[in-house]
Amino acid sequence: MILLDALGDFLSNPAIAKATLPALWETIVMVGLSGIFTILLGLPLGVVLFVTKPGGMAEHRALNFVLSSIVVNITRSFPYAILMISLMPLAKLLVGTAIGPIAASISLTIGAIPFFARLVETALRDVPAGKLDAAHAMGSTRMQSIRKVLIPEAMPTLVDGVTTTLVTLVGYSTMAGLIGGGGLGRLAYNYGYQRFQPDVMIFLVVLIIVIVQIIQFAGERISKAVDHR
């Protein structure tokens, strides 16, 4: 009943209703762009973390220490709001502005890459070592073992990692809206909080929950589809 009342109040305000679609699109842009680049950069980083670990197929302790303990761990330790503020000069250098969804995508990507790389590393650890040994025994190179054995065997878990990362990015994008990123977070803050309109806040929170549920549902279906174990 409260939700229906909030929806009615929300739709009765044409200014807010009109601003919702652009804000939704900005959120989709932020999550979409940062999600794509996070996967493109985080996947190889996670693979390198896995293969260079002590006892890995391409053990390199120094490289693994630098990537794992310095690059990944330190970046993951930064609260996202602080990270985004500190990366505003970089965003302005790259895209010409420090505000807006495109600029926010840069900090979202940098913040999410280490998170996703750890999920990739964990997923690869679950692949039975015997399958890699069998591939090596048949003459597969390291790269062939990674492409044809390691990643395909870990694909369901990798898809789950992508889903978790995208859901996390939705949450990060709302924080980005508070400091110039735009999207649903900015709309909720400007109208729901600053103007004391709880109906707006309730509706936008429900909308964000719906987005998360859609991502989670799609991720679970894809994970089951690629799971041939």
Side-chain angles (χ1 to χ4, degrees), residues 83-185:
L83 181 66
M84 182 177 181
I85 293 173
S86 64
L87 290 175
M88 280 184 171
L90 176 62
K92 188 172 184 179
L93 177 66
L94 294 177
V95 299
T97 179
I99 60 175
I102 304 298
S105 298
I106 295 174
S107 60
L108 284 169
T109 301
I110 293 176
I113 285 174
F115 175 78
F116 180 62
R118 282 298 187 201
L119 294 179
V120 171
E121 182 186 16
T122 302
L124 298 180
R125 285 178 178 173
D126 292 336
V127 176
K131 295 189 176 183
L132 287 175
D133 294 339
H136 293 157
M138 291 186 291
S140 295
T141 64
R142 291 173 181 170
M143 187 57 64
Q144 288 174 332
S145 296
I146 292 171
R147 290 189 298 106
K148 297 182 180 181
V149 178
L150 196 60
I151 292 180
E153 288 294 326
M155 187 59 67
T157 312
L158 289 175
V159 172
D160 291 337
V162 171
T163 303
T164 301
T165 302
L166 291 177
V167 169
T168 302
L169 284 172
V170 172
Y172 281 178
S173 72
T174 59
M175 289 189 285
L178 303 182
I179 44 181
L184 297 174

Side-chain angles (χ1 to χ4, degrees), residues 18-219:
K18 185 178 180 181
T20 300
L21 284 181
L24 176 60
W25 174 246
E26 289 175 347
T27 294
I28 292 173
V29 169
M30 281 190 282
V31 175
L33 284 178
S34 58
I36 290 172
F37 285 104
T38 294
I39 294 169
L40 291 178
L41 299 175
L43 179 60
L45 176 58
V47 172
V48 172
L49 287 173
F50 176 77
V51 300
T52 59
K53 68 177 182 177
M57 67 174 69
E59 179 178 346
H60 196 301
R61 293 176 181 269
L63 177 60
N64 186 268
F65 175 80
V66 171
L67 293 178
S68 179
S69 300
I70 298 178
V71 176
V72 173
N73 287 350
I74 290 180
T75 305
R76 289 179 66 196
S77 300
F78 271 85
Y80 175 67
I82 296 176
L83 181 66
M84 182 177 181
I85 293 173
S86 64
L87 290 175
M88 280 184 171
L90 176 62
K92 188 172 184 179
L93 177 66
L94 294 177
V95 299
T97 179
I99 60 175
I102 304 298
S105 298
I106 295 174
S107 60
L108 284 169
T109 301
I110 293 176
I113 285 174
F115 175 78
F116 180 62
R118 282 298 187 201
L119 294 179
V120 171
E121 182 186 16
T122 302
L124 298 180
R125 285 178 178 173
D126 292 336
V127 176
K131 295 189 176 183
L132 287 175
D133 294 339
H136 293 157
M138 291 186 291
S140 295
T141 64
R142 291 173 181 170
M143 187 57 64
Q144 288 174 332
S145 296
I146 292 171
R147 290 189 298 106
K148 297 182 180 181
V149 178
L150 196 60
I151 292 180
E153 288 294 326
M155 187 59 67
T157 312
L158 289 175
V159 172
D160 291 337
V162 171
T163 303
T164 301
T165 302
L166 291 177
V167 169
T168 302
L169 284 172
V170 172
Y172 281 178
S173 72
T174 59
M175 289 189 285
L178 303 182
I179 44 181
L184 297 174
R186 182 192 63 182
L187 194 63
Y189 179 74
N190 288 348
Y191 288 92
Y193 178 75
Q194 289 191 323
R195 300 188 185 184
F196 304 102
Q197 294 179 286
D199 56 306
V200 176
M201 184 71 75
I202 293 172
F203 179 81
L204 293 176
V205 168
V206 171
L207 183 56
I208 292 171
I209 291 174
V210 170
I211 294 173
V212 169
Q213 292 298 322
I214 291 173
I215 294 173
Q216 189 66 47
F217 176 78

